[in-house]
Amino acid sequence: MTDVRHVLVLPDRDAAEEVAADLAERFPLAEEPRLVRDALAGEDDAEDAQWLVVVEDPAARLEPAALDALAAAHDGWLE
């Protein structure tokens, strides 16, 4: 099996926290999703930060289309 890491990109922390909670409820995860602040290049303002939800999928069981749909429902996308 191949270890897979999914990265969902969200517009703000609130959206990232909601997606992380939804992921934990809807999918069998090996570990809790991690939230990571991703400042846009050259920007110091917190308003210009995206938030990443990083999901480890060691068994490659999560469906990318389902993850992308979940992110899209919160104005985000699957990287």
Side-chain angles (χ1 to χ4, degrees):
M1 286 187 226
T2 305
D3 286 355
V4 175
R5 175 178 292 140
H6 304 281
V7 178
L8 292 79
V9 182
L10 286 303
D12 57 45
R13 184 180 186 128
D14 290 341
E17 288 175 345
E18 285 182 38
V19 167
D22 286 351
L23 285 167
E25 288 179 12
R26 295 173 54 180
F27 300 102
L29 303 178
E31 58 187 67
E32 291 289 317
R34 288 183 293 125
L35 299 180
V36 179
R37 182 180 177 272
D38 183 36
L40 300 176
E43 299 295 334
D44 295 325
D45 189 352
E47 294 298 318
D48 292 323
Q50 296 174 327
W51 282 81
L52 308 178
V53 177
V54 181
V55 182
E56 300 296 334
D57 186 13
R61 293 185 299 173
L62 300 178
E63 179 60 45
L67 298 175
D68 191 43
L70 178 59
H74 296 274
D75 297 320
W77 64 90
L78 178 64
E79 188 70 24

